[in-house]
Amino acid sequence: MTCRSGARRGSHFGTSASQQSAGTAGAVILHSRDRTMNTQISAEAHASGQPSSYVRHLTADPAGARIVLSPASPLVVGVAPVGQVDILLDQSLFEGATAYMLVDWPHAVRVGESLDMPARWADHRAAPPLAADLVVIVAHLGGVYRGRDATLALQAMLDRLARDAGRCDVVGAIPVASTLATTDPAVLARWEMDVRPMLTAAIGPLFERRGDVLQPISRRSSGPPADGSPLRPIGAGYALDVATAVTWPDALHYRLEWRGARASAAAVGDVGVIVEAGALVCAVETASVQPCIARKRSKLLRERILVPTSDPHVLRLTRAVRLPSLTNAARVVTGTNGASADAWRPT
């Protein structure tokens, strides 16, 4: 894949195809408006002490290709659905050092870096490493930070922000550290301060930690189950001695979404983890799944606690199941050892 030449390549802020058709005069007017907006936003940034950003849409679609800029930052963020990534790559902004994310919104991200993003995107289109529907590109606009040290630093920063936020799975190995982490830590701290609001403006708070949660009344119910004696902890296997988890005091509630699987669960102290009825469970196990997990899933199928659905890729849990841990529950639901306690998100 190569970038096309032409009027758009000469503009840092870029124009859409419809704007190009207005001719040179239209482009001059657009650039003048950019300068005015930059001046206004820069004044606001200095007055507030906080980095400011604004979004430039490259298509008429509000969810289409768009660029997020900050007049006080050397970074720029581009985001596009996979069908519109070429529109981003047609901007001169993304010619140099870039880090990028393939996003399976809102389930998973894969972070990478490149000095030739058009070529890297061509590779990913030919052999996708993730079932992504969005691509996010973060570029450095110039100066002394233009090489591999810059791309590695941006990649590591994005990977850490995604992992720390804990809102989605981060696929792939932890990136190699950049020498800038030791030689220019203040620069990287500034980049992070700049990029966080830009990412939020681009795709929402996927890279920010979850704040307060408005909890439904049913989740705050304080009465324990009234029937039977106290439940014993589970060391292995599973139990069917609970109807639901919503009535347990001090239960911690979670949600899992993984390649079609969806489940709600509650961790209840020594009682274990209760996966709620109605969960959708991956129908196919990976070849490397632990034998104990495979046996447990097979028994749930034989006992008709897991039943087929109209979707051949998922099974439905017909009643609540009590399991030993969040990790065990994640592997039962997903059918893979690749899932762990981190696959569950607090609700």
Side-chain angles (χ1 to χ4, degrees), residues 270-285:
D270 293 336
V271 169
V273 172
I274 301 169
V275 180
E276 296 284 5
L280 297 179
V281 176
C282 289
V284 178
E285 301 164 353

